[in-house]
Amino acid sequence: MKEKIVIIGGVAGGASAAARLRRLSEECEIKIFERGDYISYANCGLPYHIGGAIPDRRALLLQTPQRMKERYNVDVKVHHEVTQILPQEKKVKIRDLTSGQEFFESYDKLVIATGSSPIVPPIPGIDLPGIFQVWTVPDTDRIKEYLAEHPIKRAAVIGGGFIGLEMAENLHALGLDVSIVEMADQVMAPLDYEMAKLLHSNIQKNNVSLLLGDGVKEFQKTQEGLRIVLASGAALETDMVILAIGVRPNSKIAADAGIALNARGGIIVDAGMRTGIQDIFAVGDVVEVEDFVDGERTMIPLAGPANKQGRLAADNLLGAREEYAGTQGTSIAKVFDLCAAATGHNEKQLQKQGKIKGKDYDTVMIVQNSHATYYPGAKQMFLKLIYEMDTGRLLGGQAVGSDGVDKRIDALSIAMRFGGGVDDLTRLEIAYAPPFASAKDAVNMLGFVAQNARRGLVKFVPWNITETKEENMVLLDVRTPGEYAEFRIPGAVNIPLDELRSRLGELEREKHYVVICAVGVRAYLAARILSNNAFPQVSIYPGGMTYYRAIQ
């Protein structure tokens, strides 16, 4: 007897499960019910269609119901919303959103892939014309239509996450005057503050207004357009608003069926993507997953994990015993001239868990070129590594730059996935040729620097050490006199590296010397000279003058 498998929702997890099921078996009957207009589309590409980088709307549509039927023999019904799951009867109740008709569909096994929806908080005026969210293809259509029909000159984006920053960039590309409003003190939550500051500077250099640490109190309609009243009391005038505040799981239908949820509304599943009710699976943004770094339960709504979960669930639906091995949260986004990427945990997460820097974990930050410096076109990258103090195990990584960021974060992600540590990064063989990398790649350099730190050969000060008033500290700039004259940190003492040995007598041994150069290489050499000559307190400013200037 043919098994009937019903899938609630398409896009990443649901469509992936359906395709895998059919590749594995011609025997089962597969049905997908999707309440939206499209079964599978490139959600991450929506901002780029609005900005014109992806001009053809059809490029966003990955699969259609007709093609799913022809190629996979999967019966797809769009505009059909599953309103109730009846586990005891093994049925779902469905409403045809076009006709309004309701009917029941039986199943042998069920996959919940209902995804997530944008958070729309109950802010006064949030339903005013000109305020949009960006989550589906129809959302994109509405925004493009509004832009075409109204004389829009100003736009405000509420939220500084992935979608928010991508929308800000694409609206700016259309020639609009763009503002970003973010309640937190930084954009791009996966990054730590000092890495996000690189984005802050770049956003502002692109003439986009950035309002951090302020939330929206009210939206008001004015004769000229819209007014955003902020929690601080400030007001922002604009012509349109994009909401990109975050997402929440679409799990009500599961909860109503008695399926267990976590505190954030995520469906609780086991490693095989099974819910607590027999023959009901769940995948994608709607589920709780295991955090790969620490094994705790978490929610990480990303397309890559959703696709993998859909594939794995399909295997298990047909009798396999596969297990999902957790999510690292590896992510990347283009932000104007830069790319920002992360994998694993950041310091904020570790500190929320009660971890202490210098005791439980430590970090290094370096500046490296995307490929060999002598080959034209090399771009600087800022890389941060977070590792466990006792073992050197990799806990997370972050990267910001205009080229080569994806390659490095992927290498760190892979090293983490296979249990790698600091020493393993020094051993990685990264493909090298001058147009692509350096003989000692940036990933190797992260390993070398962290290895030196673990062995006590180098110490780093916090990135904001220049804002402190440590009486005993001397900032020692070891760049050339020309570099020092062109730009320097106020109060820094200049002794070029090549003169340092002969001028050690000028330095007071009881001082704490914080050494700085352009990117850190000369500072490390200078720090070793001082340490090897019995100076007891020597540290390095991470990222050198390149980082310091980038965040000004």
Side-chain angles (χ1 to χ4, degrees):
M1 179 178 174
K2 273 191 176 184
E3 270 198 323
K4 182 195 287 188
I5 299 173
V6 170
I7 301 173
I8 308 173
V11 194
S16 181
R20 176 67 171 174
L21 282 166
R22 183 56 73 219
R23 288 195 296 270
L24 294 176
S25 172
E26 283 290 321
E27 296 303 313
C28 55
E29 180 184 357
I30 308 169
K31 291 195 173 188
I32 299 178
F33 294 97
E34 166 59 49
R35 69 180 180 182
D37 301 272
Y38 301 98
I39 178 59
S40 181
Y41 59 90
N43 177 277
C44 297
L46 299 180
Y48 299 100
H49 177 52
I50 292 170
I54 302 175
D56 190 346
R57 181 179 181 277
R58 292 171 297 180
L60 300 172
L61 308 179
L62 306 179
Q63 289 287 356
T64 64
Q66 181 180 356
R67 188 169 185 181
M68 286 292 284
K69 183 64 176 177
E70 292 171 349
R71 178 161 294 182
Y72 295 100
N73 191 26
V74 172
D75 188 13
V76 177
K77 300 291 186 184
V78 296
H79 302 132
H80 280 66
E81 181 178 13
V82 176
T83 59
Q84 191 178 6
I85 300 171
L86 305 167
Q88 298 298 324
E89 302 173 43
K90 283 201 163 184
K91 291 180 180 179
V92 291
K93 187 177 183 180
I94 301 161
R95 179 184 295 117
D96 183 334
L97 298 179
T98 303
S99 68
Q101 179 185 359
E102 292 187 326
F103 61 95
F104 290 92
E105 186 80 38
S106 65
Y107 67 83
D108 294 304
K109 292 177 181 175
L110 183 70
V111 180
I112 303 172
T114 45
S116 57
S117 295
I119 294 172
V120 184
I123 299 171
I126 201 165
D127 295 324
L128 286 170
I131 300 178
F132 301 92
Q133 59 192 30
V134 186
W135 199 243
T136 66
V137 175
D139 290 337
T140 304
D141 294 339
R142 284 189 284 270
I143 292 170
K144 288 182 71 68
E145 182 179 337
Y146 195 81
L147 286 165
E149 294 179 354
H150 296 80
I152 304 299
K153 295 182 180 179
R154 304 163 298 178
V157 177
I158 313 302
F162 289 95
I163 295 292
L165 294 183
E166 290 167 352
M167 278 303 305
E169 178 183 354
N170 280 281
L171 291 171
H172 181 264
L174 294 176
L176 303 187
D177 182 3
V178 179
S179 299
I180 300 171
V181 179
E182 169 56 55
M183 187 180 293
D185 63 355
Q186 67 167 81
V187 301
M188 198 65 75
L191 300 182
D192 284 313
Y193 183 74
E194 72 271 24
M195 299 296 281
K197 275 186 73 69
L198 296 162
L199 302 182
H200 298 169
S201 298
N202 188 259
I203 288 168
Q204 291 166 330
K205 286 173 184 175
N206 278 277
N207 299 315
V208 170
S209 176
L210 184 58
L211 293 83
L212 297 171
D214 213 347
V216 178
K217 180 180 179 181
E218 183 180 1
F219 295 103
Q220 299 174 349
K221 182 68 177 174
T222 67
Q223 286 187 336
E224 294 78 20
L226 293 166
R227 177 180 296 118
I228 305 171
V229 181
L230 301 177
S232 64
L236 177 65
E237 306 293 333
T238 189
D239 299 317
M240 70 180 299
V241 172
I242 303 295
L243 300 174
I245 299 171
V247 298
R248 60 166 55 97
N250 297 324
S251 56
K252 184 178 184 303
I253 188 176
D256 291 344
I259 296 171
L261 307 183
N262 66 13
R264 294 172 58 187
I267 296 175
I268 297 173
V269 294
D270 67 11
M273 310 313 297
R274 303 173 189 85
T275 70
I277 295 180
Q278 187 174 0
D279 295 328
I280 300 182
F281 294 67
V283 300
D285 288 6
V286 75
V287 304
E288 174 189 82
V289 296
E290 179 181 299
D291 186 312
F292 176 79
V293 178
D294 61 12
E296 296 297 322
R297 307 304 292 177
T298 188
M299 296 191 71
I300 304 176
L302 291 170
N307 275 281
K308 295 177 182 68
Q309 292 159 19
R311 187 179 194 274
L312 184 146
D315 288 2
N316 291 340
L317 281 159
L318 297 180
R321 304 295 297 179
E322 299 292 330
E323 293 191 353
Y324 186 67
T327 301
Q328 287 170 247
T330 305
S331 56
I332 189 168
K334 181 180 179 297
V335 185
F336 294 93
D337 310 314
L338 298 175
C339 293
T343 189
H345 283 188
N346 56 36
E347 285 196 74
K348 297 190 295 288
Q349 289 172 280
L350 294 172
Q351 289 164 7
K352 282 182 180 178
Q353 298 163 13
K355 302 291 197 306
I356 300 171
K357 185 174 183 178
K359 178 184 175 184
D360 302 301
Y361 76 92
D362 211 345
T363 71
V364 294
M365 182 174 70
I366 65 174
V367 180
Q368 290 285 296
N369 284 317
S370 56
H371 60 248
T373 307
Y374 58 83
Y375 187 87
K379 305 291 185 182
Q380 286 181 326
M381 301 178 295
F382 299 84
L383 303 161
K384 178 175 180 177
L385 183 70
I386 305 173
Y387 58 91
E388 204 166 53
M389 285 288 288
D390 290 344
T391 65
R393 181 174 71 97
L394 306 182
L395 301 176
Q398 299 164 39
V400 175
S402 58
D403 184 44
V405 164
D406 53 343
K407 173 178 178 176
R408 275 65 186 203
I409 211 69
D410 285 343
L412 291 177
S413 173
I414 293 167
M416 285 181 61
R417 176 59 64 170
F418 291 100
V422 163
D423 292 342
D424 295 299
L425 296 187
T426 70
R427 304 180 187 119
L428 287 181
E429 292 190 29
I430 307 294
Y432 162 61
F436 306 106
S438 299
K440 289 188 287 189
D441 187 76
V443 175
N444 299 133
M445 291 304 298
L446 272 175
F448 294 142
V449 174
Q451 192 178 66
N452 284 339
R454 295 191 72 225
R455 294 175 179 176
L457 295 175
V458 64
K459 294 180 180 179
F460 293 93
V461 293
W463 65 273
N464 58 350
I465 190 69
T466 56
E467 300 171 9
T468 67
K469 302 295 181 183
E470 184 184 335
E471 291 184 10
N472 197 44
M473 185 184 78
V474 175
L475 191 61
L476 181 61
D477 190 328
V478 296
R479 296 176 300 153
T480 66
E483 291 173 293
Y484 179 78
E486 190 250 332
F487 184 89
R488 61 182 178 271
I489 298 175
V493 174
N494 180 225
I495 300 180
L497 173 64
D498 294 338
E499 300 176 16
L500 183 59
R501 285 186 180 87
S502 63
R503 296 176 61 180
L504 291 177
E506 300 176 23
L507 303 178
E508 302 175 58
R509 291 184 178 271
E510 69 274 13
K511 297 291 186 181
H512 174 200
Y513 289 96
V514 176
V515 192
I516 189 169
C517 65
V519 297
V521 177
R522 284 174 288 176
Y524 173 62
L525 295 174
R528 293 309 305 153
I529 290 172
L530 292 172
S531 295
N532 288 336
N533 280 277
F535 281 79
Q537 297 185 77
V538 183
S539 306
I540 293 175
Y541 182 82
M545 198 64 74
T546 300
Y547 174 76
Y548 181 84
R549 295 186 72 172
I551 62 173
Q552 300 307 305

